[in-house]
């Protein structure tokens, strides 16, 4: 592991301290997990945007998936 020095607003530090106390962890562990989650969300959003842009460039044709409508089983028949 590497040590990083970061600057946070006082109110954020106070809230962080409350959360880590409630969860019986420490600032570093909580921040590592929060950063992992934020990075995963960042990558997920980039992928969603990539898919959105692709569908804007190549929209689904009106009959592209209609051949599968009769194959769908919803379990309510």
């Amino acid at each position: 592991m590497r040590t990083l020095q970061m600057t946070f607003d006082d109110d954020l530090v106070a809230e962080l301290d409350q959360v880590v106390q409630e969860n019986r962890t420490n600032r570093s562990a909580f921040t590592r997990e929060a950063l992992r989650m934020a990075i995963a969300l960042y990558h997920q959003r980039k992928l969603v945007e990539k898919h959105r842009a692709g569908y804007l460039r190549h929209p689904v044709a009106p009959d592209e998936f209609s051949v599968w409508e009769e194959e769908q089983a919803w379990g309510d028949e």
Side-chain angles (χ1 to χ4, degrees):
M1 278 195 221
R2 293 178 58 186
T3 300
L4 302 176
Q5 183 175 350
M6 303 174 82
T7 304
F8 296 101
D9 297 330
D10 290 338
D11 59 333
L12 183 59
V13 173
E15 194 168 0
L16 173 63
D17 287 343
Q18 181 180 354
V19 169
V20 298
Q21 184 179 8
E22 289 173 7
N23 288 285
R24 294 193 171 113
T25 187
N26 59 55
R27 290 175 176 173
S28 293
F30 183 86
T31 303
R32 280 192 300 272
E33 183 60 25
L35 286 172
R36 284 186 188 104
M37 292 171 65
I39 290 168
L41 181 59
Y42 168 80
H43 289 299
Q44 181 183 13
R45 287 179 176 168
K46 281 187 67 170
L47 185 59
V48 167
E49 178 56 30
K50 182 179 178 181
H51 288 168
R52 188 188 72 77
Y55 277 106
L56 286 174
R57 281 193 310 275
H58 305 286
V60 175
D63 62 343
E64 188 170 348
F65 296 109
S66 62
V67 297
W68 293 103
E69 287 179 3
E70 293 179 14
E71 301 295 325
Q72 296 175 358
W74 298 101
D76 58 353
E77 289 103 38

